[in-house]
Amino acid sequence: MWQHKEKRIIKQFDSSFSYLSFFGGRRLLILVPHQDDEINTAGSTIIGAVAEGLDVHIAYMTNGDWDYAVPLRNNEAIQAALYMGISKENIHFLDYPDCGSDEMSVYEHQDSVFIYRDRQISWNTLLQDIRNLIEMIRPDAIICTGFDSHRDHRQCESCVLSVMESLWSKGSTTRLYTAFAYGTAYESIEDWWAPHWYSTKMNPFAHPEYLTTPSENLQWDKRIRIPVPLSCRHKRLVKNPLYLGLGCHISQAAYRRSTRLINSDQVYWLRGPERNLQYKNEYLQIMIDNHFAYDWYIYGGELNPVVSVYYGYETGGCELSSIDDKIIWYCNGDIIENGSYYSIHTYMLNHNLTTVCVRCVLANNPAVFCESYIHKKSYFYWIRFVYDYIINKIKYSLDHHYRKRAYKEIRKLMRNK
């Protein structure tokens, strides 16, 4: 399992958010088409859920054999899963072809039967294999890859949703969440190098102009946002577990995408079941300028930030104003009038503070809370940002040189098509 240490002290941010509560149980299944999509789709969730003690399973729909022989990418996936703390018994391969073209795609040819690795495969066999897997694991929740541009990703969402609709009709309460591996990760915006830790963005070129996501069934403003664990906010890129986890997928040089998918939140869409959607497990996350904020430095010359709260639950979420009476605010343990930056800044001035611990609590349920640290505006933070930026670039360049050599060696094993 991942481990790391930092020379400087990291504050242990506190929140009532729980993966166990959010997913409604202890068993979670990540079901993705390719080896590396588990991190693209749910990297920080896997790491956070394992750390909380959930029983996490990962299933790969294809063998990743478009460019390489079958064992290679499967072995990379095993290494990545083991790194994240998942045992071999919880890693599953469904043994379908990686379809870079549609010649062997059971999704593109749903009425056809193919011979693949000495067995017959078809759309119906894939549906049955998915159903058998779910009935064997009996997960409380499933995360699968959403309707991305790749046919295997569309295949993943379509078949899992079809199987779950059948199971829901028979009384299953297993929740299904989908997320995009391309639009919010593989093809997302490379904003990790920016001064602030920003939330997940959808690449505007990853979908048609008339849609907000690649899927007409999923709207961007309907996404569910959950926080990410402390380890996945490591400020040294080459020590961030998401970077290191992607690094296990050597053949894909996947680590190069880490700056696109390391964000301050993880986003999902709930697909069902449609009944029993009355939420019970609430959580809060302080936001600054609409980004999930854990430790927010205000740089000299920046405008005063807008503070708000994300009020989430397992089926949805919404933004609450800093002056909403549903929320009680504290600064360093003292109640303040509201959570506006003016109120927080006034408290800092009155107490001669440069940093303050801001806590928000749900008025009707004090057990639901979140804490963040806000640092007073200063030009010194620009100096520190530039220093950290340079150190990060140097360390990344050195690490990249090592990983690039390993990637070139693996490329020698590519299949001749």
Side-chain angles (χ1 to χ4, degrees):
M1 188 181 299
W2 56 265
Q3 291 181 342
H4 72 267
K5 296 181 180 178
E6 277 202 61
K7 293 180 181 178
R8 63 192 182 89
I9 296 174
I10 296 182
K11 305 179 185 70
Q12 296 295 323
F13 303 102
D14 211 352
S15 168
S16 60
F17 175 82
S18 163
Y19 292 98
L20 177 65
S21 298
F22 181 82
F23 290 118
R26 191 165 293 278
R27 192 164 294 165
L28 176 64
L29 170 62
I30 314 296
L31 212 165
V32 294
H34 304 118
Q35 296 76 353
D36 74 354
D37 286 329
E38 78 284 5
I39 301 178
N40 290 333
T41 303
S44 66
T45 300
I46 294 171
I47 290 171
V50 169
E52 196 174 300
L54 271 68
D55 183 22
V56 180
H57 292 248
I58 301 180
Y60 300 94
M61 188 170 294
T62 77
N63 285 316
D65 60 344
W66 176 246
D67 287 324
Y68 298 94
V70 168
L72 191 143
R73 290 193 67 185
N74 285 351
N75 287 334
E76 291 180 343
I78 291 171
Q79 293 306 310
L82 292 175
Y83 167 76
M84 292 186 289
I86 298 171
S87 65
K88 281 189 177 181
E89 293 75 20
N90 285 16
I91 306 170
H92 312 272
F93 299 100
L94 297 182
D95 199 28
Y96 282 79
D98 181 354
C99 292
S101 68
D102 71 353
E103 295 176 1
M104 292 275 293
S105 172
V106 298
Y107 173 74
E108 301 284 352
H109 305 283
Q110 296 189 12
D111 295 327
S112 300
V113 177
F114 302 98
I115 302 298
Y116 176 70
R117 286 167 55 83
D118 299 323
R119 70 185 181 107
Q120 289 187 340
I121 61 169
S122 67
W123 181 250
N124 288 332
T125 64
L126 178 59
L127 291 175
Q128 189 59 53
D129 287 346
I130 292 292
R131 184 174 188 132
N132 291 343
L133 177 73
I134 292 171
E135 290 179 340
M136 177 187 72
I137 297 174
R138 293 182 289 115
D140 299 290
I142 299 171
I143 297 173
C144 82
T145 303
F147 206 82
D148 281 318
S149 56
H150 196 296
R151 60 176 51 83
D152 290 343
H153 291 223
R154 300 195 295 272
Q155 170 181 286
C156 183
E157 185 199 48
S158 297
C159 70
V160 174
L161 186 58
S162 177
V163 169
M164 289 311 304
E165 285 173 344
S166 173
L167 293 176
W168 290 330
S169 69
K170 293 176 170 55
S172 171
T173 58
T174 298
R175 298 179 199 151
L176 174 62
Y177 295 90
T178 57
F180 295 105
Y182 277 16
T184 59
Y186 187 87
E187 296 175 344
S188 188
I189 298 169
E190 193 168 359
D191 57 1
W192 190 88
W193 302 102
H196 295 293
W197 203 267
Y198 294 133
S199 293
T200 301
K201 296 181 178 68
M202 172 65 70
N203 187 334
F205 300 106
H207 55 84
E209 291 184 1
Y210 63 91
L211 297 176
T212 56
T213 76
S215 172
E216 59 186 19
N217 297 315
L218 308 176
Q219 300 177 35
W220 185 244
D221 61 355
K222 299 297 183 183
R223 70 194 187 281
I224 303 173
R225 306 169 67 181
I226 65 173
V228 301
L230 177 62
S231 63
C232 294
R233 303 194 299 271
H234 200 296
K235 295 182 183 298
R236 285 285 179 264
L237 178 62
V238 297
K239 293 185 178 181
N240 192 296
L242 294 175
Y243 175 89
L244 296 171
L246 285 170
C248 295
H249 296 283
I250 302 172
S251 67
Q252 307 304 299
Y255 68 94
R256 295 182 298 184
R257 300 195 300 273
S258 58
T259 53
R260 302 176 187 177
L261 63 86
I262 299 176
N263 299 300
S264 72
D265 68 348
Q266 184 112 59
V267 300
Y268 297 110
W269 284 262
L270 178 69
R271 310 305 300 275
E274 293 185 357
R275 61 186 181 282
N276 301 325
L277 292 185
Q278 292 185 350
Y279 54 87
K280 297 179 181 178
N281 300 306
E282 305 155 302
Y283 61 95
L284 300 176
Q285 178 58 53
I286 294 172
M287 297 196 298
I288 294 183
D289 294 340
N290 205 38
H291 303 291
F292 276 23
Y294 309 93
D295 195 7
W296 194 273
Y297 293 88
I298 306 171
Y299 296 85
E302 286 189 325
L303 296 175
N304 290 339
V306 175
V307 181
S308 59
V309 175
Y310 183 78
Y311 170 56
Y313 36 92
E314 64 266 33
T315 61
C318 62
E319 183 178 355
L320 300 179
S321 165
S322 61
I323 61 174
D324 195 301
D325 59 9
K326 296 184 182 69
I327 303 295
I328 300 173
W329 291 88
Y330 299 83
C331 277
N332 286 2
D334 299 325
I335 292 180
I336 58 176
E337 182 178 358
N338 56 58
S340 67
Y341 180 70
Y342 173 80
S343 181
I344 295 169
H345 182 64
T346 299
Y347 181 91
M348 296 172 78
L349 287 176
N350 292 340
H351 293 79
N352 194 27
L353 299 171
T354 58
T355 298
V356 66
C357 174
V358 178
R359 181 184 179 97
C360 64
V361 174
L362 202 59
N364 64 358
N365 187 359
V368 180
F369 68 91
C370 175
E371 288 182 354
S372 297
Y373 286 83
I374 297 179
H375 303 263
K376 189 177 180 180
K377 188 180 296 186
S378 172
Y379 285 98
F380 168 76
Y381 298 139
W382 282 116
I383 298 173
R384 192 169 71 179
F385 166 71
V386 172
Y387 171 79
D388 287 341
Y389 181 90
I390 293 172
I391 296 299
N392 260 316
K393 281 287 188 179
I394 292 172
K395 289 184 177 293
Y396 172 75
S397 295
L398 294 172
D399 194 67
H400 170 67
H401 178 70
Y402 162 76
R403 293 182 184 277
K404 188 175 180 180
R405 284 190 298 172
Y407 171 69
K408 287 183 177 180
E409 289 299 312
I410 289 289
R411 296 291 283 182
K412 295 177 182 178
L413 302 177
M414 287 184 67
R415 294 170 53 190
N416 293 320
K417 298 188 182 68

